[in-house]
Amino acid sequence: MSKKEESAERLEGSNPSVMTSVNEASNPSWFTPLRLLIIFCVIHLINYMDRGAMASNGVNGHRTICTPDGTCTPGSGIQGQFNLSNFEDGVLSSAFMVGLLLACPIFASLAKRANPFRLIGVGLSVWTVAVVGCGFSVNFWSIAVCRMIVGVGEASFISLAAPFIDDNAPVEKKAGWLGIFYMCIPTGYAIGYLYGGFVGQHFGWRYAFWGEAILMVSFAVLGFIIKPLKLKGFAPPETTNAPIPVDATASSVKDDLQAKVGVSPKDFQEAENSSNSVLSEVLRFLKDMKALLVNMVFVVNVLGYVAYNFVMGAYSYWGPKAGYSIYQMKNADMIFGGITVVGGIVGSLAGGYILDCLNNTISNAFKLLSTAILIGAAFFFGSFCFKSMYGFLVLFSIGEVLAFSIQGPVNFICLHCVTPNLRPLSMAISTVSIHIFGDVPSAPLVGILQDHINNWRTTSLILTGFLVPAAIIWFIGVFLHSEDKSNEDCEKQVVPNRPTAGSALEAEKVQQTNKASAEA
């Protein structure tokens, strides 16, 4: 045996965690932190490109339109081919959201039992297959089901990507890296509009989905074949295949039964696995949920995020229509799309960078959130008071930059106000909450308000007022006792149903002592 092997053996016997560190150092992951950020940003872009393509005229299309004189314009895209009503067309968007919201908590919980990086690979594979299915759909129900499964596939990435980025980002750039990641949302939407319009018009809407699948499949494969970076708070990849140690009592019972009855170790393993019931999983999930709901920093952060998303969701849906009505914008879609892309990129990058410069703490993040949204609300309010379209565009653009600047800080709080093993669930519940209570109900509620008022300027001013509660809620967060828990569980990695290595060594010592006593 070489000196290197003897040294490694001594390390393993004295401290298994040290041996794990040595193995990781000698066999590092292909992923570096920067590569991880770049690849996750590309995946995020493709996810939101799909959403933008789904809403584009080239893919979504329109129904056959007939004038009173009998002249008909043939339909196009999904709506034209399947002759969908506006309601059915809207259901396709809701189907995606249903799959996303149902699967987010599930993937977050599974991260405690399965390798989180591999779960991302599973989710991206499901996403890819479902997108291919969208291209092969034959009627409304087939594409609705496929869209729901697309949401399921995206859920794993939404829940787990941000914790990986936060883990591997330099300490002084954590908020900035999160800002870069979330900048991909408006950028992906804009690329999707252009991509869907071009491919849909030149090749047909089905090819738009197949093209997305081709772009994503390589990243799905990476999730399975490349050694992942370790996610703080969860078992490293090597431990998932490690032999399961047992305590001394269980070991002696097994030895006796194997000698007298002939029961194999495999039978014992199957018996142990069968004890993991669905009830235990539910109880574990409820315990984690309780830990989140009693965390006032998390609750206040999400409540402010819900109020914020209520307004921004309605802006994205009704903004072009309001702009056309108030200012007679001929290209309202392009104008609002351009403002959103530029504001999203500049704001997301600026918000993360400023928080890092201020010292990225939870308290400073709350200060930045409340200040940016309060000032942004003032610019939004002032923009809708302008009679000039150009004055409106200038003030509204500044408001968009300020509004999007919260993306890095708000997700920084979600990741740092909880222990590492709760971060996937924190991101999942945050995502579910801001959609269920934010942008999903805001569009129809604003539509009802407009039906009663019949004045888009007044409706827009009332909607903008809901940003003030968001600023107030986040301002309350400044005075909460905020403790950064991101490093709290570093030494206690989650390895479900596996006793610690220390207990295994103790068991071995007890067995050796018993054996020596028996021989004596």
Side-chain angles (χ1 to χ4, degrees), residues 212-446:
E212 292 169 6
I214 292 172
L215 292 174
M216 185 65 82
V217 67
S218 59
F219 297 106
V221 172
L222 277 181
F224 294 102
I225 66 172
I226 299 293
K227 177 185 175 183
L229 290 172
K230 180 176 157 185
L231 181 59
K232 190 188 301 178
F234 295 86
E238 290 79 2
T239 63
T240 57
N241 295 320
I244 300 178
V246 294
D247 60 35
T249 303
S251 179
S252 62
V253 172
K254 286 184 180 181
D255 290 340
D256 291 341
L257 286 175
Q258 287 173 13
K260 298 177 181 178
V261 186
V263 180
S264 68
K266 182 178 179 182
D267 294 331
F268 277 107
Q269 184 63 50
E270 291 176 353
E272 289 174 359
N273 291 339
S274 65
S275 65
N276 297 324
S277 63
V278 175
L279 178 60
S280 66
E281 294 300 321
V282 172
L283 292 176
R284 182 183 289 110
F285 174 75
L286 293 177
K287 179 182 177 182
D288 291 343
M289 281 297 299
K290 180 182 178 181
L292 284 182
L293 295 178
V294 299
N295 186 329
M296 289 306 299
V297 174
F298 173 79
V299 171
V300 168
N301 186 51
V302 172
L303 286 176
Y305 204 6
V306 167
Y308 161 87
N309 218 49
F310 184 92
V311 177
M312 299 306 293
Y315 275 166
S316 64
Y317 190 82
W318 293 113
K321 188 178 288 293
Y324 180 83
S325 175
I326 299 171
Y327 299 104
Q328 288 75 51
M329 294 181 186
K330 294 181 178 179
N331 297 313
D333 288 335
M334 294 295 293
I335 291 173
F336 272 86
I339 290 175
T340 300
V341 171
V342 175
I345 293 174
V346 175
S348 298
L349 294 176
Y353 177 77
I354 292 172
L355 179 57
D356 285 332
C357 290
L358 291 174
N359 186 11
N360 48 27
T361 64
I362 293 175
S363 178
N364 283 341
F366 274 125
K367 292 174 184 176
L368 182 58
L369 290 174
S370 57
T371 302
I373 289 304
L374 190 61
I375 298 175
F379 275 98
F380 281 136
F381 197 88
S383 68
F384 286 109
C385 291
F386 258 87
K387 292 185 178 180
S388 166
M389 182 181 73
Y390 298 104
F392 163 81
L393 292 177
V394 170
L395 293 186
F396 192 84
S397 298
I398 297 173
E400 286 271 89
V401 171
L402 290 164
F404 277 107
S405 69
I406 67 98
Q407 291 295 335
V410 75
N411 288 288
F412 176 88
I413 295 174
C414 277
L415 291 168
H416 286 254
C417 72
V418 297
T419 53
N421 63 307
L422 287 177
R423 289 182 304 170
L425 186 62
S426 173
M427 297 303 299
I429 298 304
S430 173
T431 301
V432 169
S433 300
I434 65 174
H435 289 307
I436 289 181
F437 303 109
D439 56 359
V440 169
S442 68
L445 288 176
V446 169

Side-chain angles (χ1 to χ4, degrees), residues 50 124-138 142-143 146-147 149-150 205-217:
D50 171 71
L124 296 182
S125 299
V126 171
W127 188 96
T128 303
V129 173
V131 166
V132 171
C134 289
F136 284 109
S137 56
V138 295
S142 61
I143 193 169
C146 287
R147 292 306 299 171
I149 299 174
V150 169
W205 62 270
R206 297 181 187 273
Y207 285 88
F209 291 117
W210 296 334
E212 292 169 6
I214 292 172
L215 292 174
M216 185 65 82
V217 67

